[in-house]
Amino acid sequence: MNDLQQHYKAVRARLWAGAPPPPPVVVRPPPPPPRSTPTSEQFREAHELLKIAGVAGVPRWKLILREVCALHSITMDQLTSHNRSKKFIDARMLAYYRLHKELGLSLPQIGRYIGDRDHSTVFYGIKRYESNLRRR
C-alpha cells in the first residue's frame, strides 16, 4: 500500500504543479451617493400650482369627457351608460372624435374610457361624426 500512496502523492503533485494562481481581489469603489429627491414640501408646492391652474390630478381625457357632458347637459354616468337615446349617442360620438383627434388615443383606449366599448363601436362613432360634420 505504500507504493500506492506514493503514486497518488506523485499524481497530485503533478496536477497541482500547474494550478492557476488564485483570482485577484477586486476592490470596488463605493457606490455614488443617492441623488437628491424632491421633498414633500416641493411636491406640495407643485400640487398647489397645478390646482391653481385647474389641472391638478385630472387627466386630459377626463377633462374632455367633462366638457362633452357639460355641452350636452348630461352626466358622466349617462355618457358611459349603454342607453341608446339620441342625446347620449351624439355626446358619445363627439367624445370619441375629440379623444381620437385631440389626444391621439387608440380606439381600444377610448372604448375603455367610455363605458368599456369595443374598438369597432368607437371607430363607427368617429366615422359617423365626421360624416355629420361634412353634411353641415
mmCIF file of all heavy atoms in Angstrom, residues 40-52 56:
data_model
loop_
_atom_site.group_PDB
_atom_site.id
_atom_site.type_symbol
_atom_site.label_atom_id
_atom_site.label_comp_id
_atom_site.label_asym_id
_atom_site.label_seq_id
_atom_site.Cartn_x
_atom_site.Cartn_y
_atom_site.Cartn_z
ATOM 1 N N SER A 40 -41.207 66.462 0.265
ATOM 2 C CA SER A 40 -42.668 66.518 0.277
ATOM 3 C C SER A 40 -43.143 67.966 0.156
ATOM 4 O O SER A 40 -44.195 68.231 -0.418
ATOM 5 C CB SER A 40 -43.223 65.879 1.543
ATOM 6 O OG SER A 40 -42.741 66.565 2.680
ATOM 7 N N GLU A 41 -42.342 68.894 0.664
ATOM 8 C CA GLU A 41 -42.704 70.312 0.537
ATOM 9 C C GLU A 41 -42.687 70.749 -0.928
ATOM 10 O O GLU A 41 -43.572 71.481 -1.381
ATOM 11 C CB GLU A 41 -41.749 71.177 1.361
ATOM 12 C CG GLU A 41 -42.091 72.645 1.368
ATOM 13 C CD GLU A 41 -43.475 72.928 1.951
ATOM 14 O OE1 GLU A 41 -43.887 72.229 2.888
ATOM 15 O OE2 GLU A 41 -44.135 73.844 1.440
ATOM 16 N N GLN A 42 -41.712 70.273 -1.701
ATOM 17 C CA GLN A 42 -41.648 70.611 -3.126
ATOM 18 C C GLN A 42 -42.839 70.003 -3.874
ATOM 19 O O GLN A 42 -43.411 70.638 -4.751
ATOM 20 C CB GLN A 42 -40.329 70.117 -3.729
ATOM 21 C CG GLN A 42 -39.133 70.918 -3.259
ATOM 22 C CD GLN A 42 -37.826 70.284 -3.678
ATOM 23 O OE1 GLN A 42 -37.695 69.058 -3.697
ATOM 24 N NE2 GLN A 42 -36.855 71.114 -4.009
ATOM 25 N N PHE A 43 -43.219 68.773 -3.506
ATOM 26 C CA PHE A 43 -44.387 68.157 -4.128
ATOM 27 C C PHE A 43 -45.642 68.953 -3.790
ATOM 28 O O PHE A 43 -46.511 69.154 -4.626
ATOM 29 C CB PHE A 43 -44.559 66.707 -3.664
ATOM 30 C CG PHE A 43 -43.702 65.729 -4.416
ATOM 31 C CD1 PHE A 43 -42.744 64.977 -3.763
ATOM 32 C CD2 PHE A 43 -43.859 65.553 -5.776
ATOM 33 C CE1 PHE A 43 -41.966 64.077 -4.450
ATOM 34 C CE2 PHE A 43 -43.082 64.647 -6.478
ATOM 35 C CZ PHE A 43 -42.129 63.916 -5.808
ATOM 36 N N ARG A 44 -45.739 69.368 -2.553
ATOM 37 C CA ARG A 44 -46.909 70.133 -2.125
ATOM 38 C C ARG A 44 -47.019 71.442 -2.902
ATOM 39 O O ARG A 44 -48.092 71.829 -3.364
ATOM 40 C CB ARG A 44 -46.820 70.405 -0.624
ATOM 41 C CG ARG A 44 -48.156 70.653 0.020
ATOM 42 C CD ARG A 44 -48.090 70.716 1.550
ATOM 43 N NE ARG A 44 -47.710 69.419 2.127
ATOM 44 C CZ ARG A 44 -46.573 69.204 2.805
ATOM 45 N NH1 ARG A 44 -45.716 70.167 3.015
ATOM 46 N NH2 ARG A 44 -46.310 68.014 3.293
ATOM 47 N N GLU A 45 -45.889 72.126 -3.089
ATOM 48 C CA GLU A 45 -45.882 73.384 -3.843
ATOM 49 C C GLU A 45 -46.301 73.154 -5.293
ATOM 50 O O GLU A 45 -47.096 73.915 -5.851
ATOM 51 C CB GLU A 45 -44.492 74.017 -3.811
ATOM 52 C CG GLU A 45 -44.109 74.611 -2.478
ATOM 53 C CD GLU A 45 -42.661 75.094 -2.458
ATOM 54 O OE1 GLU A 45 -42.054 75.222 -3.547
ATOM 55 O OE2 GLU A 45 -42.150 75.326 -1.363
ATOM 56 N N ALA A 46 -45.763 72.093 -5.909
ATOM 57 C CA ALA A 46 -46.113 71.788 -7.300
ATOM 58 C C ALA A 46 -47.593 71.464 -7.415
ATOM 59 O O ALA A 46 -48.269 71.893 -8.356
ATOM 60 C CB ALA A 46 -45.273 70.620 -7.812
ATOM 61 N N HIS A 47 -48.123 70.739 -6.441
ATOM 62 C CA HIS A 47 -49.546 70.392 -6.477
ATOM 63 C C HIS A 47 -50.407 71.650 -6.340
ATOM 64 O O HIS A 47 -51.438 71.771 -7.016
ATOM 65 C CB HIS A 47 -49.863 69.398 -5.365
ATOM 66 C CG HIS A 47 -51.254 68.877 -5.408
ATOM 67 N ND1 HIS A 47 -51.686 68.012 -6.388
ATOM 68 C CD2 HIS A 47 -52.326 69.103 -4.616
ATOM 69 C CE1 HIS A 47 -52.951 67.728 -6.193
ATOM 70 N NE2 HIS A 47 -53.375 68.380 -5.118
ATOM 71 N N GLU A 48 -50.002 72.559 -5.492
ATOM 72 C CA GLU A 48 -50.754 73.808 -5.331
ATOM 73 C C GLU A 48 -50.771 74.608 -6.638
ATOM 74 O O GLU A 48 -51.797 75.162 -7.024
ATOM 75 C CB GLU A 48 -50.161 74.656 -4.200
ATOM 76 C CG GLU A 48 -50.427 74.121 -2.818
ATOM 77 C CD GLU A 48 -51.906 74.011 -2.507
ATOM 78 O OE1 GLU A 48 -52.669 74.935 -2.851
ATOM 79 O OE2 GLU A 48 -52.301 72.989 -1.915
ATOM 80 N N LEU A 49 -49.626 74.661 -7.327
ATOM 81 C CA LEU A 49 -49.568 75.372 -8.612
ATOM 82 C C LEU A 49 -50.490 74.715 -9.641
ATOM 83 O O LEU A 49 -51.167 75.402 -10.414
ATOM 84 C CB LEU A 49 -48.134 75.417 -9.133
ATOM 85 C CG LEU A 49 -47.170 76.316 -8.357
ATOM 86 C CD1 LEU A 49 -45.747 76.138 -8.877
ATOM 87 C CD2 LEU A 49 -47.599 77.768 -8.474
ATOM 88 N N LEU A 50 -50.521 73.389 -9.653
ATOM 89 C CA LEU A 50 -51.408 72.687 -10.577
ATOM 90 C C LEU A 50 -52.872 72.928 -10.222
ATOM 91 O O LEU A 50 -53.727 73.053 -11.100
ATOM 92 C CB LEU A 50 -51.104 71.186 -10.576
ATOM 93 C CG LEU A 50 -49.793 70.782 -11.230
ATOM 94 C CD1 LEU A 50 -49.517 69.313 -10.998
ATOM 95 C CD2 LEU A 50 -49.814 71.085 -12.712
ATOM 96 N N LYS A 51 -53.176 72.998 -8.922
ATOM 97 C CA LYS A 51 -54.553 73.279 -8.514
ATOM 98 C C LYS A 51 -54.972 74.670 -8.958
ATOM 99 O O LYS A 51 -56.090 74.870 -9.431
ATOM 100 C CB LYS A 51 -54.684 73.158 -6.995
ATOM 101 C CG LYS A 51 -55.088 71.777 -6.594
ATOM 102 C CD LYS A 51 -55.262 71.448 -5.164
ATOM 103 C CE LYS A 51 -55.653 72.315 -4.112
ATOM 104 N NZ LYS A 51 -55.655 71.762 -2.766
ATOM 105 N N ILE A 52 -54.061 75.623 -8.855
ATOM 106 C CA ILE A 52 -54.361 76.989 -9.291
ATOM 107 C C ILE A 52 -54.637 76.999 -10.795
ATOM 108 O O ILE A 52 -55.536 77.675 -11.276
ATOM 109 C CB ILE A 52 -53.207 77.950 -8.923
ATOM 110 C CG1 ILE A 52 -53.142 78.110 -7.407
ATOM 111 C CG2 ILE A 52 -53.361 79.285 -9.615
ATOM 112 C CD1 ILE A 52 -51.886 78.803 -6.915
ATOM 113 N N ALA A 56 -54.903 69.936 -11.525
ATOM 114 C CA ALA A 56 -54.249 69.077 -10.532
ATOM 115 C C ALA A 56 -54.869 67.689 -10.516
ATOM 116 O O ALA A 56 -56.028 67.524 -10.147
ATOM 117 C CB ALA A 56 -54.341 69.701 -9.151
#
